[in-house]
Amino acid sequence: MSAKVSLAVDLNGVRFPTPVLAASGTFNAGREMAQLVDLREVGGIVTKSITLHPTRGLPVPRMAETPCGMLNAIGLQNPGVEEFLAKEAPFIASLGVPVVASVAGRSVEEFAQVTLRLREAPVVAIEANISCPNVERRNQVFACHPDMAAEVIGAMVRLSRVPVFAKLTADVTDLVAVAEACVRAGAHGLSLINTVLGMAVDVETFRPKLGGVTGGLSGPAIRPIAVRCVYQVARALPGVPIMGVGGIVTADDAAEFLLAGAWAVQVGTANFFDPHATVAVARGLERYLRRKGLGSPAELRGRLELPERVPELASRPG
Amino acid sequence: MSAKVSLAVDLNGVRFPTPVLAASGTFNAGREMAQLVDLREVGGIVTKSITLHPTRGLPVPRMAETPCGMLNAIGLQNPGVEEFLAKEAPFIASLGVPVVASVAGRSVEEFAQVTLRLREAPVVAIEANISCPNVERRNQVFACHPDMAAEVIGAMVRLSRVPVFAKLTADVTDLVAVAEACVRAGAHGLSLINTVLGMAVDVETFRPKLGGVTGGLSGPAIRPIAVRCVYQVARALPGVPIMGVGGIVTADDAAEFLLAGAWAVQVGTANFFDPHATVAVARGLERYLRRKGLGSPAELRGRLELPERVPELASRPG
Amino acid sequence: MIRARCEVLSNRRTGAYWSLTLVAPDIAEEARPGQFVEVAVPRGRDVILRRPFSIHQASRRGGWAGTLELVFEPVGPGTRWLAEVRPHDVLDVIGPLGRSFHYPREATSCLLVAGGYGAAPLHFLGEELRARNKVVHMVVGARTHERVLKPVEAKRLATSIVITTEDGTMGERGVVTDVLPAVLDRTRAQVVYACGPNPMLRAVAEYCRRRAVPCQVAVEEKMACGLGVCWSCVVPVVAADGRGWWNVRACVEGPVFNGARVWWDRWLGPARPPAEEEPLGAVEARRR
Amino acid sequence: MIRARCEVLSNRRTGAYWSLTLVAPDIAEEARPGQFVEVAVPRGRDVILRRPFSIHQASRRGGWAGTLELVFEPVGPGTRWLAEVRPHDVLDVIGPLGRSFHYPREATSCLLVAGGYGAAPLHFLGEELRARNKVVHMVVGARTHERVLKPVEAKRLATSIVITTEDGTMGERGVVTDVLPAVLDRTRAQVVYACGPNPMLRAVAEYCRRRAVPCQVAVEEKMACGLGVCWSCVVPVVAADGRGWWNVRACVEGPVFNGARVWWDRWLGPARPPAEEEPLGAVEARRR
Ligand SMILES: Cc1cc2nc3c(=O)[nH]c(=O)nc-3n(C[C@H](O)[C@H](O)[C@H](O)COP(=O)(O)OP(=O)(O)OC[C@H]3O[C@@H](n4cnc5c(N)ncnc54)[C@H](O)[C@@H]3O)c2cc1C
Ligand SMILES: Cc1cc2nc3c(=O)[nH]c(=O)nc-3n(C[C@H](O)[C@H](O)[C@H](O)COP(=O)(O)OP(=O)(O)OC[C@H]3O[C@@H](n4cnc5c(N)ncnc54)[C@H](O)[C@@H]3O)c2cc1C
Ligand SMILES: Cc1cc2nc3c(=O)[nH]c(=O)nc-3n(C[C@H](O)[C@H](O)[C@H](O)COP(=O)(O)O)c2cc1C
Ligand SMILES: Cc1cc2nc3c(=O)[nH]c(=O)nc-3n(C[C@H](O)[C@H](O)[C@H](O)COP(=O)(O)O)c2cc1C
Ligand code: FES
Ligand code: FES
């Protein structure tokens, strides 16, 4: 039971000192959090999504709290890839923590352009935030259609110096089909899941609680959805590195994802109320693995014990 | 401000004394709740889904609590339509509350058969729980494919004596497409939403927390998802009666759904911890409408005040 | 079945457990041994469902008239919150729920087998049996001595009592089933009542079945509503005529079941291959 | 920026508000007027985000050395919970956050304009200004007299003070902007500091701009993190050179802004048609 535990994980070549990363859009590029958190204890940082041009984002209110979660409609505000390379890249290089660059765009071309510019950036991987609308395809979301997802991932993989992870949304009929398309197009791994599309209304003013009207639901409320997505995809695509994201606050939450098949996890919303969440989850995971007599996160991965006959997965078993 | 408020709603001919019904699978057919609640104050009861044959359902555990919600994997346990007609139908007739019969099946044929048998039942409408797998189509879920949804709804509409509502799931790429297909096939209205597919793992035993492995997520956690679904569909299909379902606990929650475009709402999980929830929500809604100077729920419906330019709805606006 | 707002009279430790006394005259009036109540968790928390607890005492007469006593162990968010409630706090309680133990008609010698906090409803049962001039024998098992519920009261209650603890810190080292055969011989019990962890109930029920002693068990299964409307709490029970089985609600048709009618293998595993799954012949939906 | 576990010293009503005093020596040491703290809501609740509160007092010397005082109004789940905390409870607090008000170099006559609990940071500012030998005048507005924060302290603090209430229960009936022109004339204030509801800030800032009086405003916008990482709290601010604008974080680059640089119409509406949306010429991302 007192096994020597190493938290390091290797996602088929992409290595992180711990399996607990900070999720995109919840940690910026680390600069602000560095004032509170020793970043060397963070498994990795996924940057706020980077677009080709400076993006001002959506009008306020951009946040609304919901039961055990929150809605956000930021609108991908970021200073653009040039600014990122000029201001953040040098800082990142000095951090001593692996950084994953999240990329977003409104067209395959934009994704490609940003990927190209990021060849200079000191990042260990790129995460494609393809849960954005494609202006060239009637604003259909890339991640909602296997063909569109494959097209954009393929373009990025051809241009990227580092492995590309595809970040998918749960708001699809057949997640496995989208995941397969991304992997066939060359995705090194998958990040599951992005926020779930939601909405809240202020019943006093009759107005949506978000300037963007609809927004992305995150936090503990969506954890069961995210765990299910990881389980579905991990069973269908064994061997493909998966980063589990969605509602992780504690080490037990992270362990759920690893058991379901994740190779690593990302903590998002929890950073807002507990800036040390990534560190605390990693430490807790180490204690948990030791208690279970396991030497590494990899030894826990996919260890889920299923009943002899697994009932039909697709149904809402009301 | 002291308008005379009437809570009665008319869903294009299907009338309920209040817009607050009990959702399927959370109230049985009213018999048990009648010991605590004066059912004449309940807007309506949607029965537990009825299948052609007695159904034993899934192995335990069938329930797991999650942040601000719960997962269930009951497996549609019910005594079958014959038993329903023999034991529950007479009781229902005596209740003095409108009852909607929820129907489930594993094939178009089964849905049709149950619909046929229910011609004798004293129900004001049928709700088609089409979030079930179709054994004739590789267990694809009816509600996940417009063509399959249309086929089963069409068959039921042809055989039913009463209007048919299609109950849909949010776990699809294009909810509006499914909704449109159901309406074109003759659905009188829509119930949005069923539970969201989720999963939880016991990190001590490494086992899924549900005998069914995956299950349906319900409760306040999913309310933002349900409100978004109602908003999406109500804008696309004006004039089609929508029942809003998902995470409603208070009158304000119900008002959110009405503002988003629902004609009535259903309370599910809240019945478990507050058996009087349907009554309390209706009374609270009456006070709310009076305070707002509105005479009926219909006057609130769709009154959502949108910004001049509504940002692209499809994207996860991280 | 009553829903009441109940004032907390006291909430204090007793060994590893907490004893919670509520002012609940109407529920106490109706309550019978084996029944339970559902306690609501206040709004604003991240857990939303009620928590079910057996009725440990329901006082109709005397100084505690109109009160209800629950015994619980803090194991998770709900019970940890409950351990924090203070006198004068008011709880939203529904009960009494479920079916109670059946009192024997002829039988005079009764054996009560308790595991852990499963002793809670059996104390209540013991008193009701004695009030009916039955002889009450007890076997009380627990992991350690702090988990033996109110041993003094138990001894006062029972004509004979055997206590077992797994660590031997009280009574005999071992588990209840180690001593059950000898106790059955000695007491000539004509009926057995058991409450405790499900595996213990299974062992007791199967042994009693072999000895042809009627055995009633009060089971636990995860409950979302406790009211009979969600179907989450089911136990597979064999039809009275032995032909067919049905998943029966522990919160309505239970939590007390005839131990001989519970299909333990199917409920607690190991699950058998479909072929053998219906050893009882034709499927026939069983109802009560 | 410090994260500390802070013991509650006291938590009591003051008019319509609550005054919460915390032991937070490190945060108090760094705190400057206009900055705020983020208070964590305990785990297990259905609201998960921290709540931001202006620093009302940060005592470095004297009997209250090392303490921080917050003033808040119970309006929702978070603040209602906070109203329940008791002495000796421990809160998870991060601060000081954001940019503070800038002290004037030459100017000697300062006017502080407060609305509701917006007075909280201005008391702190007033003391710091006086410690720098500035003359402090105040205009304090509120809906009713209970919403005028600590009027006695305010009077002690200010060389001159005008109080307005919408219902006339204290001072003059009306709102701060009714009296602002006269007060500016009388006091010849060379700089205005304002904190209160955003519409009030807008009115004050726009009036000051017309009078060419520098005006610093401490704004509020919904905040998910308060740490600069979520981008939910943005305010549209015009570039220093007047060319272009950018959505700037209230929690990092604010909450104190130069009132003349905030693009009020875009922020608080009415939203204008896209054409006019960039009156300031070429888009140019503005950064600090
Ligand atoms: C009929 C009945 C009688 C019971 N009597 C007692 C008693 O007298 N004393 C006592 O200490 N405990 C009793 N229990 C168990 C008690 O209900 C659980 O310990 C408690 O619900 C756990 O809640 P939690 O939030 O602390 O833990 P959690 O594990 O976080 O509970 C999570 C969810 O699972 C449910 N749950 C967890 N364990 C059980 C369980 N064993 N049975 C049913 N639901 C469960 C909870 O209600 C909740 O919905 C009884 C259970 C049942 C079904
Ligand atoms: C920089 C700053 C300083 C503040 N100083 C004070 C103060 O000194 N005294 C005081 O009483 N209040 C202050 N507020 C407002 C205070 O933060 C909110 O009243 C409080 O967060 C409401 O939380 P709630 O759960 O009670 O209400 P809810 O409305 O339920 O809050 C829901 C969510 O919205 C957020 N929120 C709600 N209102 C506001 C708001 N006005 N600004 C930012 N986020 C909001 C909450 O943080 C929470 O995430 C300040 C806000 C900011 C941004
Ligand atoms: C305020 C906010 C901003 C986000 N921005 C991005 C983003 O820019 N790119 C992205 O891929 N995901 C973004 N996300 C999604 C998160 O990375 C994560 O996938 C999601 O929040 C679920 O994880 P959580 O529940 O731990 O927050 C954002 C989430 C939040 C709450
Ligand atoms: C225990 C349980 C059983 C359910 N059974 C059914 C069912 O048989 N048929 C159905 O259409 N929906 C069923 N539902 C879904 C509810 O009717 C409702 O759509 C969903 O729970 C969302 O609403 P809520 O958040 O208010 O519970 C069930 C939900 C729960 C929690
Ligand atoms: S707990 Fe809901 S039916 Fe028994
Ligand atoms: S509140 Fe998160 S960036 Fe300001």
Side-chain angles (χ1 to χ4, degrees):
Chain A
M1 278 323 222
S2 64
K4 175 89 200 60
V5 177
S6 158
L7 284 181
V9 288
D10 179 338
L11 279 61
N12 291 349
V14 183
R15 295 184 186 73
F16 300 103
T18 90
V20 188
L21 286 71
S24 179
T26 67
F27 220 79
N28 257 6
R31 192 185 291 275
E32 295 80 2
M33 290 300 210
Q35 300 171 71
L36 281 174
V37 183
D38 180 352
L39 297 186
R40 286 161 314 179
E41 289 194 65
V42 177
I45 297 171
V46 185
T47 68
K48 173 72 182 168
S49 288
I50 302 161
T51 54
L52 185 56
H53 305 294
T55 304
R56 292 206 185 86
L58 290 161
V60 295
R62 288 179 169 187
M63 182 278 288
E65 222 175 6
T66 65
C68 291
M70 63 173 277
L71 288 163
N72 86 81
I74 308 301
L76 296 176
Q77 174 165 358
N78 80 99
V81 67
E82 295 309 328
E83 173 76 4
F84 174 82
L85 291 170
K87 295 260 170 61
E88 297 305 330
F91 173 77
I92 284 173
S94 72
L95 284 182
V97 47
V99 171
V100 174
S102 173
V103 175
R106 293 164 304 165
S107 65
V108 174
E109 179 57 22
E110 281 189 8
F111 273 99
Q113 293 271 342
V114 177
T115 306
L116 200 58
R117 297 294 293 116
L118 286 174
R119 294 175 69 90
E120 304 169 12
V123 298
V124 299
I126 283 176
E127 183 178 82
N129 172 11
I130 57 176
S131 304
C132 331
N134 180 348
V135 292
E136 290 161 348
R137 289 275 291 270
R138 308 187 331 288
N139 283 314
Q140 296 274 307
V141 172
F142 289 96
C144 287
H145 303 280
D147 59 327
M148 282 167 58
E151 188 187 358
V152 65
I153 295 297
M156 294 173 76
V157 168
R158 277 188 295 281
L159 296 167
S160 179
R161 227 177 17 77
V162 293
V164 174
F165 284 73
K167 185 169 185 182
L168 305 181
T169 169
D171 298 334
V172 294
T173 305
D174 188 348
L175 178 60
V176 168
V178 179
E180 273 170 348
C182 292
V183 170
R184 254 192 269 94
H188 180 89
L190 304 164
S191 299
L192 307 169
I193 59 177
N194 210 314
T195 53
V196 179
L197 196 63
M199 175 176 179
V201 179
D202 182 325
V203 298
E204 289 311 319
T205 64
F206 292 10
R207 291 214 195 85
K209 285 188 176 178
L210 295 172
V213 183
T214 55
L217 182 62
S218 65
I222 69 166
R223 191 193 320 132
I225 301 172
V227 171
R228 179 264 301 178
C229 290
V230 167
Y231 165 77
Q232 277 182 314
V233 175
R235 294 190 88 203
L237 303 173
V240 175
I242 294 174
M243 291 203 257
V245 201
I248 295 172
V249 178
T250 68
D252 281 0
D253 302 340
E256 264 197 85
F257 279 87
L258 297 177
L259 282 161
W263 299 43
V265 298
Q266 298 177 8
V267 173
T269 300
N271 294 308
F272 300 159
F273 55 86
D274 177 9
H276 297 88
T278 48
V279 178
V281 168
R283 289 188 186 153
L285 210 46
E286 185 171 9
R287 286 191 298 274
Y288 170 84
L289 291 170
R290 179 168 297 114
R291 186 157 59 78
K292 291 295 187 184
L294 300 171
S296 72
E299 289 180 28
L300 187 65
R301 188 203 319 152
R303 285 279 300 276
L304 188 66
E305 287 180 14
L306 292 171
E308 276 164 25
R309 284 162 304 126
V310 177
E312 179 48 44
L313 179 139
S315 69
R316 302 302 149 289
Chain B
M1 280 321 229
S2 64
K4 173 90 199 62
V5 176
S6 158
L7 283 181
V9 288
D10 180 338
L11 280 59
N12 290 350
V14 183
R15 295 185 187 72
F16 300 103
T18 90
V20 188
L21 287 71
S24 179
T26 67
F27 220 79
N28 257 6
R31 193 185 289 276
E32 296 80 2
M33 289 300 209
Q35 300 172 69
L36 281 174
V37 184
D38 179 352
L39 297 185
R40 286 161 313 178
E41 289 195 63
V42 176
I45 298 171
V46 185
T47 68
K48 174 72 183 169
S49 289
I50 303 161
T51 54
L52 185 57
H53 304 294
T55 304
R56 292 207 188 85
L58 290 160
V60 294
R62 288 179 169 187
M63 181 278 289
E65 223 176 6
T66 65
C68 291
M70 63 173 277
L71 288 163
N72 86 81
I74 308 301
L76 296 177
Q77 174 165 358
N78 80 100
V81 67
E82 295 310 328
E83 173 78 2
F84 174 81
L85 292 169
K87 295 259 170 60
E88 297 305 328
F91 172 76
I92 284 171
S94 72
L95 284 182
V97 46
V99 171
V100 175
S102 172
V103 175
R106 293 165 304 164
S107 65
V108 174
E109 180 56 22
E110 281 190 8
F111 274 98
Q113 293 271 343
V114 177
T115 308
L116 200 57
R117 297 294 292 116
L118 286 173
R119 294 174 67 91
E120 304 169 12
V123 297
V124 299
I126 284 176
E127 183 177 82
N129 173 11
I130 58 176
S131 304
C132 330
N134 181 347
V135 291
E136 289 160 347
R137 291 275 291 270
R138 309 187 331 287
N139 284 314
Q140 297 275 307
V141 172
F142 289 96
C144 287
H145 303 281
D147 61 327
M148 283 167 57
E151 188 187 357
V152 66
I153 294 297
M156 294 173 76
V157 168
R158 277 188 294 282
L159 295 168
S160 179
R161 228 178 14 79
V162 292
V164 175
F165 283 74
K167 186 169 184 182
L168 305 181
T169 169
D171 297 333
V172 294
T173 305
D174 188 348
L175 178 60
V176 168
V178 179
E180 272 169 350
C182 291
V183 170
R184 256 193 266 93
H188 179 90
L190 304 163
S191 299
L192 307 170
I193 60 175
N194 209 316
T195 53
V196 179
L197 196 63
M199 176 175 180
V201 179
D202 183 324
V203 297
E204 290 311 319
T205 63
F206 292 9
R207 293 214 193 85
K209 285 188 177 178
L210 296 173
V213 183
T214 55
L217 182 63
S218 66
I222 68 166
R223 191 169 65 236
I225 301 172
V227 171
R228 179 262 302 179
C229 289
V230 168
Y231 165 78
Q232 276 182 314
V233 175
R235 294 191 89 203
L237 302 174
V240 176
I242 294 174
M243 292 204 255
V245 201
I248 295 172
V249 178
T250 68
D252 281 0
D253 301 340
E256 264 196 85
F257 279 87
L258 297 177
L259 281 161
W263 299 41
V265 299
Q266 298 177 8
V267 173
T269 301
N271 294 308
F272 299 159
F273 55 86
D274 178 9
H276 297 87
T278 48
V279 178
V281 169
R283 289 186 186 156
L285 210 47
E286 185 170 10
R287 286 191 298 274
Y288 170 84
L289 291 170
R290 179 168 296 113
R291 187 157 59 78
K292 291 294 185 183
L294 300 171
S296 72
E299 289 180 28
L300 188 64
R301 187 203 321 152
R303 285 281 299 277
L304 187 67
E305 287 181 14
L306 292 172
E308 276 165 26
R309 282 162 307 125
V310 177
E312 179 47 44
L313 178 140
S315 69
R316 305 297 152 285
Chain C
M1 191 190 303
I2 295 147
R3 180 181 188 180
R5 298 181 54 70
C6 304
E7 185 182 347
V8 174
L9 214 56
S10 71
N11 189 22
R12 54 173 80 96
R13 290 198 87 102
T14 164
Y17 308 117
W18 287 79
S19 157
L20 174 69
T21 304
L22 302 168
V23 180
D26 302 349
I27 298 175
E29 188 56 44
E30 282 191 17
R32 284 155 66 221
Q35 292 186 298
F36 65 100
V37 296
E38 284 276 358
V39 179
V41 175
R43 297 281 168 92
R45 311 216 141 230
D46 62 359
V47 296
I48 59 177
L49 298 172
R50 287 172 181 262
R51 271 39 183 174
F53 300 98
S54 305
I55 296 168
H56 173 52
Q57 296 291 349
S59 310
R60 306 198 184 80
R61 326 164 248 327
W64 296 106
T67 66
L68 211 60
E69 183 181 357
L70 312 178
V71 170
F72 66 94
E73 178 171 13
V75 296
T79 45
R80 276 196 295 269
W81 156 74
L82 199 58
E84 296 294 312
V85 306
R86 302 264 156 276
H88 306 307
D89 288 352
V90 172
L91 302 180
D92 172 353
V93 181
I94 297 178
L97 297 166
R99 299 196 173 185
S100 58
F101 291 103
H102 305 288
Y103 306 125
R105 274 190 212 70
E106 304 74 22
T108 58
S109 175
C110 310
L111 176 60
L112 281 47
V113 183
Y117 60 70
L122 294 182
H123 283 215
F124 185 13
L125 174 65
E127 288 179 359
E128 294 295 322
L129 288 172
R130 286 184 49 172
R132 287 164 177 73
N133 309 312
K134 309 293 181 183
V135 181
V136 173
H137 302 284
M138 283 185 96
V139 174
V140 179
R143 238 180 304 137
T144 69
H145 68 94
E146 320 86 49
R147 289 190 146 69
V148 176
L149 177 65
K150 300 183 178 175
V152 181
E153 287 84 336
K155 284 169 183 156
R156 199 184 313 114
L157 181 68
T159 303
S160 88
I161 182 167
V162 178
I163 294 174
T164 65
T165 51
E166 291 174 32
D167 64 356
T169 48
M170 188 185 282
E172 306 181 18
R173 168 181 258 105
V175 295
V176 294
T177 41
D178 299 339
V179 301
L180 188 56
V183 173
L184 270 177
D185 295 337
R186 174 169 53 76
T187 61
R188 299 221 175 65
Q190 295 143 300
V191 54
V192 170
Y193 299 93
C195 185
N198 291 331
M200 178 202 103
L201 298 182
R202 174 190 205 159
V204 171
E206 282 168 352
Y207 180 74
C208 288
R209 194 178 190 179
R210 285 200 294 282
R211 294 271 303 242
V213 180
C215 171
Q216 294 176 39
V217 295
V219 306
E220 271 190 19
E221 184 50 67
K222 288 237 177 190
M223 294 186 171
C225 74
L227 306 170
V229 296
C230 79
W231 295 92
S232 64
C233 63
V234 299
V235 175
V237 169
V238 176
D241 57 12
R243 302 184 55 255
W245 63 280
W246 189 246
N247 282 321
V248 168
R249 296 165 299 184
C251 69
V252 173
E253 289 83 13
V256 174
F257 291 107
N258 174 341
R261 297 259 301 277
V262 173
W263 187 359
W264 298 97
D265 286 357
R266 185 178 176 84
W267 184 29
L268 305 180
R272 295 171 175 178
E276 301 162 44
E277 221 177 35
E278 278 143 41
L280 307 151
V283 176
E284 190 194 272
R286 171 166 173 298
R287 289 148 210 129
R288 305 199 184 194
Chain D
M1 190 190 305
I2 295 147
R3 181 181 187 179
R5 298 181 53 70
C6 304
E7 185 182 347
V8 173
L9 213 56
S10 71
N11 189 21
R12 53 173 82 94
R13 291 196 86 103
T14 164
Y17 307 117
W18 288 78
S19 159
L20 174 69
T21 305
L22 302 168
V23 181
D26 302 348
I27 298 176
E29 189 56 44
E30 281 191 18
R32 283 155 67 222
Q35 291 185 299
F36 65 99
V37 297
E38 283 276 359
V39 179
V41 175
R43 297 281 168 93
R45 310 218 143 227
D46 61 359
V47 297
I48 59 177
L49 298 172
R50 288 172 181 262
R51 271 44 182 170
F53 300 98
S54 304
I55 295 168
H56 173 51
Q57 297 291 349
S59 310
R60 306 197 184 81
R61 329 164 242 331
W64 297 107
T67 66
L68 211 59
E69 183 181 356
L70 312 178
V71 169
F72 65 94
E73 179 171 13
V75 296
T79 45
R80 276 197 296 269
W81 156 74
L82 199 58
E84 297 294 311
V85 306
R86 302 263 156 279
H88 306 307
D89 288 353
V90 173
L91 301 181
D92 172 354
V93 181
I94 297 179
L97 296 166
R99 299 195 173 187
S100 59
F101 290 104
H102 305 288
Y103 305 126
R105 275 191 209 69
E106 304 76 20
T108 59
S109 174
C110 310
L111 176 60
L112 280 48
V113 183
Y117 60 71
L122 294 181
H123 283 214
F124 185 13
L125 174 65
E127 287 179 0
E128 294 295 323
L129 288 172
R130 283 184 51 173
R132 287 165 177 74
N133 309 311
K134 309 293 181 183
V135 181
V136 173
H137 303 284
M138 282 185 98
V139 174
V140 179
R143 237 180 303 136
T144 68
H145 68 94
E146 321 84 54
R147 288 188 147 69
V148 176
L149 176 65
K150 300 183 179 174
V152 180
E153 286 84 336
K155 285 169 182 156
R156 199 183 314 115
L157 182 69
T159 302
S160 88
I161 182 167
V162 177
I163 293 174
T164 65
T165 52
E166 292 174 30
D167 64 357
T169 49
M170 186 184 285
E172 307 181 18
R173 169 183 255 103
V175 296
V176 294
T177 42
D178 300 338
V179 302
L180 188 56
V183 173
L184 269 177
D185 295 337
R186 172 168 55 75
T187 60
R188 298 219 177 67
Q190 296 144 297
V191 54
V192 170
Y193 299 93
C195 185
N198 292 331
M200 178 202 103
L201 297 182
R202 174 189 205 160
V204 171
E206 283 168 352
Y207 181 74
C208 289
R209 191 176 192 179
R210 286 200 294 282
R211 295 268 306 236
V213 180
C215 171
Q216 294 176 39
V217 295
V219 306
E220 271 189 18
E221 184 50 68
K222 288 238 178 189
M223 294 185 171
C225 74
L227 306 171
V229 296
C230 78
W231 295 92
S232 64
C233 62
V234 299
V235 175
V237 169
V238 175
D241 57 13
R243 300 183 57 257
W245 63 280
W246 188 246
N247 283 321
V248 168
R249 296 165 299 183
C251 69
V252 174
E253 289 83 14
V256 175
F257 290 107
N258 174 341
R261 297 258 302 276
V262 173
W263 186 2
W264 298 97
D265 287 357
R266 186 180 173 83
W267 184 29
L268 305 180
R272 293 170 176 180
E276 300 162 45
E277 223 178 31
E278 278 143 39
L280 306 151
V283 176
E284 189 194 90
R286 168 164 175 299
R287 292 153 206 124
R288 306 199 183 195

